């Protein structure tokens, strides 16, 4: 029932995304633009050419980030796990900027390839650093290593962009995350890896429930722990790489969506995963709408808005003792 309510809420947010902005458009006009557009009508052109693409990008990227965050929290048993906080999005964005600057990559498929490589490199680096020392890769060490590597990689991304002003002016949205300036037609090649990541994520639900009990109990229940983590890792790389190629390194969407889902449906990952896939795009689209409304004649990128909105959530999580008790 709650997933149905969430889906209805997402539909409302999608419609609001088509209506609201620096130029508000009436609901009847939006419907007319979608059903029977009139050539030369400015409002219809705004809806179809500008707002529909950014809304669909928000749906795809938000779903990918919500699922990836839920997977990471389940696999690591770390409530702070998030593609943005653990450096995965930053690594993907850095490789995208390198591909644009040094290899003149312009296609969405090419950018997605570099994003996947960057996400894999960042994942390996964060895990390798956190595994050093006693106790291995604990949740706290993963969060600290992710924060440090995110800061370092983000600085490198900025350095590369500042060294090439043309790249900076054309692709500045990679540094903050945005839903604008995207060609929806060129995003079609990403649907296959996104769908694969979605399927892999959803099939891991029962295994994630077992992992929450501990590795030994999960093995005792017949689950192959190592295989589960490999499948989840592949899914996270596909989802994060494609989301970054679509919208840039958006943070906090993957952190907030699973926590809200957990509050609504409890700790069953068979319900958390699909609900996170609905709540992720809802959060991202709300941030995009807020950025349009408070930006005056311009806009504030969704990545900046959701970071501001997500900061209080992160502070609240840190204050809870059970977050760091591991």
């Amino acid at each position: 029932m709650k997933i149905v309510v969430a889906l209805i809420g997402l539909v409302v947010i999608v419609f609001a995304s088509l209506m609201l902005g620096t130029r508000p458009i009436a609901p009847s006009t939006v419907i007319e633009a979608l059903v029977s557009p009139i050539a030369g009508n400015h409002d219809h052109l705004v809806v179809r050419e500008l707002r529909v693409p950014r809304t669909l990008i928000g749906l795809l990227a938000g779903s990918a980030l919500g699922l990836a965050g839920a997977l990471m929290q389940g696999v690591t048993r770390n409530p702070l796990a998030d593609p943005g906080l653990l450096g995965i999005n930053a690594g993907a964005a850095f490789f995208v900027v390198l591909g644009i600057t040094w290899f003149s990559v312009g296609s969405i498929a090419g950018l997605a390839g570099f994003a996947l490589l960057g996400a894999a490199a960042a994942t390996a680096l964060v895990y390798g650093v956190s595994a050093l020392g006693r106790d291995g890769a604990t949740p706290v060490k993963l969060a600290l290593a992710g924060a440090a590597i995110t800061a370092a990689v983000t600085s490198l991304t900025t350095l590369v962009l500042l060294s090439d002003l043309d790249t900076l002016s054309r692709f500045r949205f990679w540094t903050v995350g945005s839903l604008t300036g995207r060609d929806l037609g060129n995003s079609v090649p990403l649907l296959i890896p996104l769908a694969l990541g979605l399927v892999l994520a959803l099939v891991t639900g029962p295994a994630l429930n077992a992992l929450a009990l501990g590795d030994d109990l999960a093995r005792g229940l017949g689950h192959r722990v190592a295989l589960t983590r490999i499948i989840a890792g592949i899914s996270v790389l596909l989802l994060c790489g494609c989301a970054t190629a679509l919208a840039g390194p958006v943070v906090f969407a993957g952190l907030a969506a699973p926590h809200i889902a957990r509050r609504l449906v409890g700790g069953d990952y068979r319900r958390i995963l699909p609900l996170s896939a609905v709540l992720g795009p809802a959060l991202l689209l709300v941030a995009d709408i807020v950025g349009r409304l408070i930006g005056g004649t311009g806009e504030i990128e969704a990545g900046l808005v959701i970071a501001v909105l997500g900061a209080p959530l992160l502070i609240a999580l840190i204050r809870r003792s059970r977050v760091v008790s591991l």
Side-chain angles (χ1 to χ4, degrees), residues 208-246:
L208 291 180
N209 287 337
L211 284 180
L213 304 174
D215 289 1
D216 292 337
L217 281 177
R219 292 189 184 95
L221 293 172
H223 292 279
R224 301 173 64 179
V225 174
L227 180 61
T228 298
R229 288 201 167 100
I230 290 173
I231 294 174
I234 294 173
S235 177
V236 167
L237 291 179
L238 290 172
L239 294 171
C240 290
C242 292
T244 303
L246 287 168

Side-chain angles (χ1 to χ4, degrees), residues 6-319:
L7 284 171
I8 294 173
L10 180 59
V11 171
V12 173
I13 292 171
V14 166
F15 199 75
S17 177
L18 299 177
M19 290 174 49
L20 302 177
T22 55
R23 180 188 179 92
I25 298 176
S28 59
T29 304
V30 171
I31 296 174
E32 187 180 38
L34 296 175
V35 176
S36 56
I38 300 174
N41 187 301
H42 182 70
D43 287 342
H44 290 188
L45 183 65
V46 168
V47 171
R48 295 179 65 87
E49 300 298 327
L50 298 179
R51 294 185 183 174
V52 167
R54 72 189 298 172
T55 300
L56 291 177
I57 293 296
L59 287 172
L60 293 174
S63 294
L65 292 171
L67 271 175
L71 274 178
M72 294 177 70
Q73 291 175 18
V75 169
T76 64
R77 297 195 294 274
N78 180 0
L80 291 179
D82 164 74
L85 294 177
L86 294 188
I88 296 177
N89 285 352
F94 178 56
F95 271 59
V96 164
V97 171
L98 288 182
I100 293 168
T101 306
W102 293 355
F103 300 97
S104 300
V105 176
S107 68
I108 290 293
L111 295 179
F114 274 89
L116 291 173
L117 288 175
T123 300
L125 185 58
V126 169
Y127 187 83
V129 170
S130 62
L132 298 175
R134 297 177 57 186
D135 302 326
T138 64
V140 173
K141 289 169 68 177
L142 279 169
L144 292 174
I149 290 170
T150 296
V153 173
T154 301
S155 299
L156 290 175
T157 302
T158 303
L159 179 63
V160 173
L161 287 173
L162 291 177
S163 67
D164 189 330
L165 295 181
D166 181 61
T167 301
L168 175 61
S169 63
R170 292 170 53 206
F171 300 99
R172 63 183 178 85
F173 54 79
W174 289 114
T175 62
V176 294
S178 174
L179 304 183
T180 61
R182 305 307 197 269
D183 186 341
L184 189 60
N186 291 333
S187 302
V188 173
L190 296 183
L191 295 180
I192 294 177
L194 276 174
L196 178 59
L198 171 67
V199 172
L200 291 177
L202 294 178
V203 299
T204 59
L208 291 180
N209 287 337
L211 284 180
L213 304 174
D215 289 1
D216 292 337
L217 281 177
R219 292 189 184 95
L221 293 172
H223 292 279
R224 301 173 64 179
V225 174
L227 180 61
T228 298
R229 288 201 167 100
I230 290 173
I231 294 174
I234 294 173
S235 177
V236 167
L237 291 179
L238 290 172
L239 294 171
C240 290
C242 292
T244 303
L246 287 168
V250 178
V251 298
F252 287 117
L255 173 68
H259 279 280
I260 298 173
R262 199 173 288 111
R263 287 289 187 105
L264 293 175
V265 298
D268 188 347
Y269 276 92
R270 292 173 298 179
R271 295 186 176 92
I272 290 175
L273 289 169
L275 188 54
S276 296
V278 175
L279 294 175
L283 292 172
L284 188 54
L285 288 176
V286 167
D288 185 51
I289 294 170
V290 171
R292 299 184 218 172
L293 296 179
I294 68 176
T297 56
E299 293 186 7
I300 299 177
E301 284 83 355
L304 294 176
V305 176
I306 202 167
V308 172
L309 297 178
L313 173 64
L314 180 59
I315 294 172
L317 290 175
I318 293 174
R319 287 177 59 85

